[in-house]
Amino acid sequence: METLEHTFSISEAAERTGLTTHTLRYYERTGLMLTPVDRASSTHRRFTEQDITWVSFLTKLRATSMPIARIREYVELVREGDESTASRLELLLRHRITVVAQLADMQRSLTAIDVKIAIYEEKVAHA
Amino acid sequence: METLEHTFSISEAAERTGLTTHTLRYYERTGLMLTPVDRASSTHRRFTEQDITWVSFLTKLRATSMPIARIREYVELVREGDESTASRLELLLRHRITVVAQLADMQRSLTAIDVKIAIYEEKVAHA
DNA sequence: GTTTGACTTCGAGTGCGCTCGAAGTTCTAT
DNA sequence: ATAGAACTTCGAGCGCACTCGAAGTCAAAC
């Protein structure tokens, strides 16, 4: 059952990815989709499950501050097929290092803020 | 000894805070300093230890994505003096919630990226 | 088959946080 | 005294990632 692949309109895709339709079109036009999005009825976009999956992943890359341009590089590697696996791994590993650094940095900043909070709490408690 | 308060030129302040002189001036002019920076010899800025300490803290706020405008609100509260302690605490606690959310979000994204990395490592190992 | 609303492309606009350059002034070292 | 570096203000410009509006086309529901 369910052998036919289900597809989604742009607004359904927006709903599923948490992006706006504007942003989805922007991502496509700026070269961030693995393949051009299918068009049903000549013009309207039909997003496949794979498109949605990819957009969800690219959202993770964005959420960790990978710049659009870097994501585009990654996409180009994916398009090259299997032979680029090692390059893709390398790109992601490099990105991973920056993410871990970001997390550590943010954690350190949070600690500093917590120190301040503690001081204020003390102050407020004595008033 | 060392009872005289040491002050810093803008380039020394830049060095100590990791910001550029341009950014330090920008922060001052956009209302992010607790008090106007002292001027020695009529025009040149002289940063006090307290200025440096404050800039370091505001850098932590920025590093956790607090917008300039919110920092300005915080600064205005500080200028009001002791009576604003509770408001400042509230502002920081509210910010804290967003920071914790950011950290969790980033951590989740990192996990998704790690899954992909594991897949690629598997693939590369078999080649 | 017509209406309603979702879709299309295109290019321009926005918001944020810097970042920079120009043109002039002041400090420091000799 | 003077050269050169470091400082000053001011306003404009930039880079990134969207975000939006206009004007037109298409499609699903009745």
Side-chain angles (χ1 to χ4, degrees), chain A residues 23-48:
Chain A
T23 301
L24 283 171
R25 287 191 208 98
Y26 166 69
Y27 280 174
E28 183 183 1
R29 104 177 83 113
T30 201
L32 262 46
M33 297 306 290
L34 298 179
T35 60
V37 178
D38 289 350
R39 305 302 161 118
S41 1
S42 71
T43 58
H44 288 202
R45 271 167 262 254
R46 306 264 80 201
F47 287 79
T48 64

Short mmCIF file of all heavy atoms in Angstrom, two decimals, chain A residues 23-48:
data_model
loop_
_atom_site.label_atom_id
_atom_site.label_comp_id
_atom_site.label_asym_id
_atom_site.label_seq_id
_atom_site.Cartn_x
_atom_site.Cartn_y
_atom_site.Cartn_z
N THR A 23 10.92 31.72 1.89
CA THR A 23 12.25 31.19 2.17
C THR A 23 12.53 29.93 1.36
O THR A 23 13.64 29.74 0.85
CB THR A 23 12.39 30.90 3.68
OG1 THR A 23 12.17 32.11 4.39
CG2 THR A 23 13.76 30.37 4.02
N LEU A 24 11.53 29.09 1.21
CA LEU A 24 11.72 27.88 0.40
C LEU A 24 12.09 28.23 -1.04
O LEU A 24 13.00 27.62 -1.62
CB LEU A 24 10.45 27.02 0.42
CG LEU A 24 10.23 26.20 1.69
CD1 LEU A 24 8.85 25.56 1.69
CD2 LEU A 24 11.30 25.12 1.83
N ARG A 25 11.40 29.20 -1.59
CA ARG A 25 11.73 29.62 -2.96
C ARG A 25 13.12 30.21 -3.01
O ARG A 25 13.88 29.96 -3.94
CB ARG A 25 10.71 30.65 -3.46
CG ARG A 25 9.37 30.04 -3.77
CD ARG A 25 8.46 31.03 -4.51
NE ARG A 25 7.06 30.73 -4.23
CZ ARG A 25 6.33 31.37 -3.33
NH1 ARG A 25 6.84 32.37 -2.63
NH2 ARG A 25 5.09 31.01 -3.12
N TYR A 26 13.43 31.00 -2.00
CA TYR A 26 14.77 31.61 -1.93
C TYR A 26 15.85 30.52 -1.88
O TYR A 26 16.85 30.60 -2.59
CB TYR A 26 14.85 32.51 -0.70
CG TYR A 26 16.26 32.91 -0.33
CD1 TYR A 26 17.00 33.77 -1.13
CD2 TYR A 26 16.84 32.41 0.84
CE1 TYR A 26 18.29 34.13 -0.79
CE2 TYR A 26 18.13 32.76 1.19
CZ TYR A 26 18.85 33.62 0.38
OH TYR A 26 20.13 33.97 0.72
N TYR A 27 15.67 29.52 -1.07
CA TYR A 27 16.64 28.44 -0.96
C TYR A 27 16.81 27.74 -2.31
O TYR A 27 17.92 27.40 -2.72
CB TYR A 27 16.20 27.43 0.10
CG TYR A 27 16.50 27.85 1.52
CD1 TYR A 27 16.05 27.09 2.60
CD2 TYR A 27 17.23 29.01 1.79
CE1 TYR A 27 16.32 27.46 3.91
CE2 TYR A 27 17.50 29.40 3.11
CZ TYR A 27 17.05 28.62 4.16
OH TYR A 27 17.32 28.97 5.45
N GLU A 28 15.70 27.55 -3.00
CA GLU A 28 15.81 26.87 -4.29
C GLU A 28 16.57 27.74 -5.29
O GLU A 28 17.50 27.29 -5.94
CB GLU A 28 14.41 26.55 -4.84
CG GLU A 28 14.50 25.78 -6.16
CD GLU A 28 13.13 25.51 -6.77
OE1 GLU A 28 12.13 25.93 -6.17
OE2 GLU A 28 13.10 24.88 -7.84
N ARG A 29 16.18 29.01 -5.34
CA ARG A 29 16.80 29.86 -6.36
C ARG A 29 18.26 30.14 -6.07
O ARG A 29 19.04 30.42 -6.98
CB ARG A 29 15.96 31.14 -6.53
CG ARG A 29 16.48 32.41 -5.92
CD ARG A 29 15.58 33.60 -6.24
NE ARG A 29 14.44 33.71 -5.34
CZ ARG A 29 14.27 34.71 -4.45
NH1 ARG A 29 15.14 35.70 -4.40
NH2 ARG A 29 13.24 34.73 -3.65
N THR A 30 18.65 30.04 -4.81
CA THR A 30 20.05 30.29 -4.48
C THR A 30 20.90 29.01 -4.54
O THR A 30 22.07 29.02 -4.17
CB THR A 30 20.15 30.98 -3.10
OG1 THR A 30 21.40 31.65 -2.99
CG2 THR A 30 20.00 30.01 -1.96
N GLY A 31 20.26 27.95 -5.03
CA GLY A 31 21.04 26.73 -5.30
C GLY A 31 21.21 25.79 -4.13
O GLY A 31 22.19 25.05 -4.06
N LEU A 32 20.26 25.78 -3.22
CA LEU A 32 20.40 24.94 -2.04
C LEU A 32 19.63 23.63 -2.11
O LEU A 32 19.72 22.81 -1.19
CB LEU A 32 19.96 25.72 -0.80
CG LEU A 32 21.08 26.36 0.02
CD1 LEU A 32 22.05 27.08 -0.87
CD2 LEU A 32 20.52 27.33 1.04
N MET A 33 18.89 23.41 -3.18
CA MET A 33 18.20 22.12 -3.31
C MET A 33 19.10 21.14 -4.05
O MET A 33 19.87 21.53 -4.92
CB MET A 33 16.87 22.30 -4.06
CG MET A 33 15.87 23.19 -3.35
SD MET A 33 15.50 22.72 -1.64
CE MET A 33 14.57 21.21 -1.89
N LEU A 34 18.99 19.89 -3.69
CA LEU A 34 19.84 18.88 -4.30
C LEU A 34 19.51 18.73 -5.78
O LEU A 34 20.39 18.54 -6.61
CB LEU A 34 19.67 17.54 -3.58
CG LEU A 34 20.08 17.58 -2.10
CD1 LEU A 34 19.85 16.22 -1.46
CD2 LEU A 34 21.54 17.98 -1.96
N THR A 35 18.23 18.83 -6.09
CA THR A 35 17.77 18.80 -7.48
C THR A 35 16.70 19.87 -7.59
O THR A 35 16.09 20.24 -6.59
CB THR A 35 17.13 17.43 -7.82
OG1 THR A 35 16.02 17.23 -6.93
CG2 THR A 35 18.12 16.30 -7.63
N PRO A 36 16.46 20.37 -8.80
CA PRO A 36 15.39 21.36 -8.95
C PRO A 36 14.08 20.72 -8.49
O PRO A 36 13.84 19.54 -8.75
CB PRO A 36 15.35 21.61 -10.46
CG PRO A 36 16.57 20.99 -11.04
CD PRO A 36 17.09 20.00 -10.07
N VAL A 37 13.30 21.48 -7.80
CA VAL A 37 12.03 20.93 -7.31
C VAL A 37 11.10 20.65 -8.49
O VAL A 37 11.00 21.46 -9.41
CB VAL A 37 11.37 21.93 -6.33
CG1 VAL A 37 10.03 21.40 -5.84
CG2 VAL A 37 12.29 22.20 -5.14
N ASP A 38 10.48 19.48 -8.47
CA ASP A 38 9.53 19.10 -9.52
C ASP A 38 8.42 20.12 -9.67
O ASP A 38 8.01 20.75 -8.70
CB ASP A 38 8.86 17.77 -9.18
CG ASP A 38 9.82 16.61 -9.31
OD1 ASP A 38 10.93 16.80 -9.83
OD2 ASP A 38 9.44 15.50 -8.87
N ARG A 39 7.94 20.22 -10.88
CA ARG A 39 6.79 21.08 -11.13
C ARG A 39 5.64 20.21 -11.60
O ARG A 39 5.78 19.46 -12.57
CB ARG A 39 7.10 22.12 -12.22
CG ARG A 39 8.33 22.96 -11.93
CD ARG A 39 8.18 23.69 -10.61
NE ARG A 39 9.49 24.15 -10.10
CZ ARG A 39 9.79 25.41 -9.92
NH1 ARG A 39 8.91 26.36 -10.21
NH2 ARG A 39 10.96 25.75 -9.44
N ALA A 40 4.55 20.29 -10.92
CA ALA A 40 3.34 19.61 -11.37
C ALA A 40 2.54 20.69 -12.09
O ALA A 40 2.71 21.87 -11.82
CB ALA A 40 2.55 19.07 -10.19
N SER A 41 1.71 20.29 -12.98
CA SER A 41 0.87 21.25 -13.68
C SER A 41 1.69 22.44 -14.17
O SER A 41 1.34 23.59 -13.91
CB SER A 41 -0.27 21.74 -12.78
OG SER A 41 -0.22 21.17 -11.51
N SER A 42 2.77 22.12 -14.81
CA SER A 42 3.64 23.10 -15.46
C SER A 42 4.43 24.04 -14.55
O SER A 42 5.63 24.19 -14.72
CB SER A 42 2.87 23.91 -16.51
OG SER A 42 1.96 24.79 -15.88
N THR A 43 3.80 24.66 -13.58
CA THR A 43 4.54 25.67 -12.82
C THR A 43 4.61 25.41 -11.31
O THR A 43 5.64 25.67 -10.69
CB THR A 43 3.92 27.06 -13.01
OG1 THR A 43 2.55 27.00 -12.61
CG2 THR A 43 4.00 27.48 -14.47
N HIS A 44 3.55 24.92 -10.75
CA HIS A 44 3.51 24.77 -9.29
C HIS A 44 4.48 23.72 -8.78
O HIS A 44 4.54 22.61 -9.29
CB HIS A 44 2.08 24.43 -8.84
CG HIS A 44 1.14 25.59 -8.96
ND1 HIS A 44 -0.03 25.68 -8.26
CD2 HIS A 44 1.21 26.70 -9.71
CE1 HIS A 44 -0.66 26.81 -8.58
NE2 HIS A 44 0.08 27.44 -9.46
N ARG A 45 5.20 24.09 -7.73
CA ARG A 45 6.18 23.18 -7.15
C ARG A 45 5.52 21.99 -6.45
O ARG A 45 4.48 22.15 -5.81
CB ARG A 45 7.02 23.93 -6.11
CG ARG A 45 8.25 24.59 -6.68
CD ARG A 45 8.85 25.57 -5.68
NE ARG A 45 8.39 26.90 -6.04
CZ ARG A 45 9.15 27.82 -6.63
NH1 ARG A 45 10.42 27.58 -6.86
NH2 ARG A 45 8.65 28.98 -6.97
N ARG A 46 6.13 20.83 -6.60
CA ARG A 46 5.70 19.65 -5.85
C ARG A 46 6.90 19.13 -5.10
O ARG A 46 7.85 18.62 -5.70
CB ARG A 46 5.20 18.55 -6.82
CG ARG A 46 4.12 18.95 -7.79
CD ARG A 46 2.73 18.60 -7.28
NE ARG A 46 2.24 19.59 -6.31
CZ ARG A 46 1.26 19.33 -5.44
NH1 ARG A 46 0.72 18.13 -5.35
NH2 ARG A 46 0.84 20.28 -4.62
N PHE A 47 6.87 19.27 -3.79
CA PHE A 47 7.98 18.80 -2.97
C PHE A 47 7.81 17.32 -2.65
O PHE A 47 6.74 16.90 -2.21
CB PHE A 47 8.05 19.60 -1.66
CG PHE A 47 8.55 21.01 -1.85
CD1 PHE A 47 7.70 22.00 -2.34
CD2 PHE A 47 9.86 21.35 -1.54
CE1 PHE A 47 8.15 23.31 -2.51
CE2 PHE A 47 10.31 22.66 -1.70
CZ PHE A 47 9.47 23.63 -2.19
N THR A 48 8.87 16.55 -2.87
CA THR A 48 8.83 15.12 -2.51
C THR A 48 9.26 14.97 -1.06
O THR A 48 9.77 15.91 -0.44
CB THR A 48 9.81 14.31 -3.39
OG1 THR A 48 11.15 14.76 -3.10
CG2 THR A 48 9.50 14.51 -4.87
#
